[in-house]
Amino acid sequence: CIRDRTWIALIVVLLVVAFIAFRKVYKTNPKFTMEVDKFALKMPVIGEVIRKTAIAKFTRTLGTLVKSGVPILQAMETVAKTAGNKVIEKAIFDAREAVREGERIADPLKRSGVFPPMVLQMISIGEETGALDSMLSKVADFYDREVESAVEGLTSMIEPLIIVFMGGAVGSIVVAMFLPMFELTSAVSK
């Protein structure tokens, strides 16, 4: 029993050390950060939620800044810094540099491969019509709804797993409580 507690304590300490080391490397090593963020975007369910959240944040913030009269290059720099994902941040910074050289916003974003075609089309239409801020707001509203429905779907998938886990935990506690009593009863009856 003491040996089991030692192993459990050792595992907990190793997990905490691994977590601290991961965070330290993630914050200090840009190449590692980029790889982790690429992996996060490729994850099956969670990756889509991360991508949709980042797109909603990007379009909402950029739309608000453009509507407020902030110059597009400064707005894109601000938006890139608040992206929350290094892959998306790099795509926005690359787009900013291309805009500085005279390109439209949608073209370099398309080359990045990060943004879905619908977002690119809406940005392109917004640029052509001069209503970029309203198009970005529409995209942000759409992706906010998408994130909400994706999170609800994820929650509905996780709920049964949590119920099974909790049932197993409660069941093992009950067995652990009553097993010694059954063993004691059988020992006394012999």
Side-chain angles (χ1 to χ4, degrees), residues 82-147:
T82 62
N85 184 293
K86 291 295 182 184
V87 175
I88 293 171
E89 180 180 329
K90 182 181 181 324
I92 297 168
F93 271 126
D94 291 348
R96 180 182 180 272
E97 290 306 312
V99 168
R100 174 180 279 154
E101 294 172 9
E103 282 189 63
R104 295 176 22 191
I105 298 171
D107 298 332
L109 290 178
K110 183 177 184 178
R111 285 194 300 269
S112 73
V114 175
F115 296 90
M118 191 266 303
V119 173
L120 300 171
Q121 282 181 318
M122 295 289 277
I123 290 173
S124 180
I125 291 168
E127 286 179 300
E128 290 173 10
T129 61
L132 182 61
D133 57 340
S134 65
M135 286 297 184
L136 288 169
S137 293
K138 288 178 184 178
V139 171
D141 292 340
F142 174 78
Y143 273 94
D144 282 340
R145 288 190 299 272
E146 286 284 310
V147 167

Side-chain angles (χ1 to χ4, degrees), residues 9-88:
L10 180 63
I11 289 171
V12 169
V13 168
L14 287 175
L15 287 174
V16 169
V17 168
F19 177 76
I20 292 169
F22 175 83
R23 294 225 6 170
K24 178 81 170 163
V25 172
Y26 183 83
K27 288 183 177 184
T28 59
N29 187 337
K31 190 174 181 181
F32 179 75
T33 304
M34 183 67 83
E35 291 302 317
V36 169
D37 285 350
K38 278 183 192 175
F39 176 75
L41 289 175
K42 291 179 183 177
M43 290 174 64
V45 177
I46 297 170
E48 274 305 305
V49 173
I50 292 170
R51 181 184 312 275
K52 289 176 181 179
T53 303
I55 290 170
K57 188 190 309 184
F58 162 71
T59 54
R60 174 85 58 215
T61 308
L62 186 60
T64 302
L65 291 173
V66 168
K67 188 175 187 175
S68 300
V70 176
I72 193 70
L73 293 176
Q74 184 179 350
M76 289 181 76
E77 182 177 351
T78 302
V79 169
K81 289 178 182 175
T82 62
N85 184 293
K86 291 295 182 184
V87 175
I88 293 171

Side-chain angles (χ1 to χ4, degrees), residues 158-178:
I158 291 175
E159 280 177 359
L161 295 175
I162 291 173
I163 291 171
V164 168
F165 175 76
M166 292 302 290
V170 169
S172 63
I173 291 171
V174 168
V175 168
M177 286 174 42
F178 286 112

